[in-house]
Amino acid sequence: MLFEKFKQGLNLGGFLSQYELIADAGSKEALQQHFETFITEDNIKQIASWGFDHVRIPVDGWLFLDKEKKILREKPLEYLDRCIGWCADYGLHAVIDLHNIEGHVYGQMEIPTPLMTEEALRDDFCLFWARMAEHFKGYKGTLLLFELFNEIADSTGYMWNRLYKRAIKEIHKEEPGRWVLAGTNNVNSVGYLDRLDLVEDPYVFYNFHYYEPNAFTHQKAHFSEEFCAYRHTLTYPGDMTDYIAFLKANDKFRKEHPLMSEETNCNDKSLMLSLLSYAKDFMQYSGCELYCGEFGVIDSAPATEAVKWIRDFITICDGLKIGHAMWNYKCLDFELVDINNQIVRPEILDLLKEMNQ
């Protein structure tokens, strides 16, 4: 059911989340210009013409939620509504992904984040989703899926399980039939699927993200201390021995790679199959459907190598009936088109169009 509706998608990162990496967040005029022009009807039309069936729309909680008035702000909702309206016009479904919110600390697994420990912040999280459910109640333009959070980090191991179930109750209080995605702990790691408490609800599905191994998919990333230090070109398939040695010599980076070990020194399809066996087992034994909200390869990787990795990943997911959305359509280092809407990674786009057929 989920796979048939959300099989091949693209992320619209940089639009209503991470916009501060693209526009001048300190200028009201610059931000308004960004929201008005970054994703247009022509962009949605283009994505549909490439054969995709959905988009994933990351949004920031602090952009939308007015905590004092306990409402969603009108202008961001207008941008979101307009984008979803265009999706309906061109036959695309949509995932609304809460990408960030006050109290979350990306990747913090050593100590609990404020979102996990402070009741007021947990209340705001649930309020955001209650108001979203209220706003879209009865919406029939296209199929909407709510993704509760992008990449949660919960060092307690159990607070996220409580919080996500509470948010689902708030959503289904407004609309029992709204489809909802709950993601895994430790930034949506596929290796944490077996730590999710499941709910008996036919409208709840589960999701993970996949960028393994990060040394390949994020190679030479300018935003990463680790990959600014380890500036090697990696191939797919390729030998990871040198990188594993780098991790052993730089223990502060080791915690970021719980699925990597001395046995994972060959980056190939066998490794991908091995790591995605967590997803296969989850589906087999839980009976629940899965979705991968993000995967992709950075633009500093050789295009020929990126194409091979992406082809294998999509082939495996399609075989397992796991829908997915590639990161990212526009900008943010993983893009298909640049800020001027020019195609910048034609090899990857050609592959995606081929696999969308």
Side-chain angles (χ1 to χ4, degrees):
M1 179 171 63
L2 179 67
F3 180 69
E4 282 71 26
K5 302 294 185 181
F6 293 88
K7 182 180 179 183
Q8 311 276 15
L10 272 181
N11 273 274
L12 302 184
F15 175 34
L16 298 172
S17 175
Q18 296 181 296
Y19 45 84
E20 70 278 1
L21 301 177
I22 299 164
D24 179 3
S27 166
K28 184 177 180 181
E29 292 75 18
L31 274 181
Q32 182 176 348
Q33 174 73 5
H34 170 82
F35 295 139
E36 292 285 352
T37 63
F38 188 75
I39 295 296
T40 67
E41 181 177 359
D42 284 344
N43 294 126
I44 299 301
K45 180 180 180 181
Q46 182 179 60
I47 291 169
S49 75
W50 290 340
F52 291 95
D53 60 19
H54 74 280
V55 294
R56 178 174 178 260
I57 311 171
V59 302
D60 281 344
W62 50 72
L63 176 66
F64 279 78
L65 183 62
D66 185 324
K67 295 171 60 174
E68 299 302 318
K69 297 180 180 178
K70 299 188 180 302
I71 61 172
L72 297 177
R73 294 188 177 95
E74 184 177 331
K75 204 62 181 175
L77 272 178
E78 181 182 317
Y79 299 131
L80 180 60
D81 286 344
R82 186 174 63 179
C83 182
I84 292 172
W86 291 330
C87 290
D89 291 342
Y90 293 100
L92 295 175
H93 301 308
V95 179
I96 299 175
D97 150 53
L98 178 56
H99 213 72
N100 215 338
I101 198 168
E102 184 181 350
H104 170 67
V105 182
Y106 175 81
Q108 183 172 293
M109 292 294 290
E110 297 82 14
I111 59 174
T113 64
L115 181 60
M116 295 296 105
T117 59
E118 297 182 21
E119 184 66 20
L121 294 174
R122 296 197 297 270
D123 288 347
D124 290 340
F125 178 88
C126 293
L127 177 64
F128 170 87
W129 281 117
R131 294 292 180 261
M132 276 286 180
E134 183 180 52
H135 179 74
F136 287 106
K137 185 176 182 178
Y139 180 79
K140 303 297 183 185
T142 191
L143 184 57
L144 287 181
L145 205 168
F146 289 171
E147 184 175 340
L148 294 178
F149 200 76
N150 175 57
E151 293 181 339
I152 201 71
D154 175 20
S155 66
T156 74
Y158 61 85
M159 290 301 293
W160 171 238
N161 281 318
R162 289 181 176 179
L163 182 57
Y164 99 71
K165 289 185 223 176
R166 182 181 160 196
I168 289 170
K169 287 181 181 177
E170 292 295 328
I171 292 168
H172 284 169
K173 207 183 292 181
E174 289 292 337
E175 191 161 27
R178 173 64 60 209
W179 286 17
V180 180
L181 281 170
T184 56
N185 194 6
N186 200 5
V187 296
N188 265 21
S189 171
V190 68
Y192 275 66
L193 280 164
D194 61 356
R195 307 185 196 198
L196 272 171
D197 286 347
L198 308 184
V199 295
E200 297 296 326
D201 188 322
Y203 298 104
V204 176
F205 308 95
Y206 299 91
N207 66 290
F208 65 97
H209 292 174
Y210 193 84
Y211 291 104
E212 302 291 349
N214 276 28
F216 173 76
T217 61
H218 286 63
Q219 59 185 278
K220 302 179 183 178
H222 64 88
F223 50 82
S224 164
E225 179 187 356
E226 177 181 350
F227 299 125
C228 284
Y230 188 81
R231 292 193 59 79
H232 294 263
T233 297
L234 296 179
T235 61
Y236 180 85
D239 183 17
M240 297 281 289
T241 304
D242 183 67
Y243 175 67
I244 299 298
F246 169 81
L247 282 184
K248 291 177 70 175
N250 295 269
D251 194 56
K252 65 178 179 178
F253 300 131
R254 184 70 188 85
K255 63 182 176 62
E256 308 292 339
H257 307 280
L259 301 182
M260 295 294 107
S261 68
E262 292 187 12
E263 286 70 45
T264 58
N265 58 9
C266 184
N267 179 26
D268 59 7
K269 191 173 184 179
S270 294
L271 175 62
M272 192 179 286
L273 283 165
S274 175
L275 296 180
L276 288 174
S277 67
Y278 291 105
K280 181 180 179 181
D281 289 348
F282 176 87
M283 296 177 73
Q284 178 180 348
Y285 298 119
S286 73
C288 299
E289 290 190 76
L290 270 180
Y291 172 79
C292 179
E294 289 186 21
F295 71 95
V297 180
I298 198 167
D299 57 9
S300 49
T304 52
E305 308 306 310
V307 164
K308 290 184 285 185
W309 186 96
I310 292 170
R311 181 185 293 277
D312 279 352
F313 178 76
I314 292 177
T315 299
I316 294 170
C317 282
D318 286 353
L320 294 173
K321 296 191 181 306
I322 297 174
H324 41 79
M326 198 187 85
W327 188 269
N328 188 42
Y329 169 64
K330 189 174 184 178
C331 299
L332 298 181
D333 305 300
F334 288 73
E335 70 275 20
L336 293 176
V337 305
D338 63 17
I339 192 65
N340 298 311
N341 298 306
Q342 298 301 304
I343 294 170
V344 291
R345 303 178 85 188
E347 304 94 339
I348 293 174
L349 177 58
D350 286 347
L351 169 67
L352 295 171
K353 289 163 70 175
E354 172 196 331
M355 303 198 82
N356 287 346
Q357 293 177 357

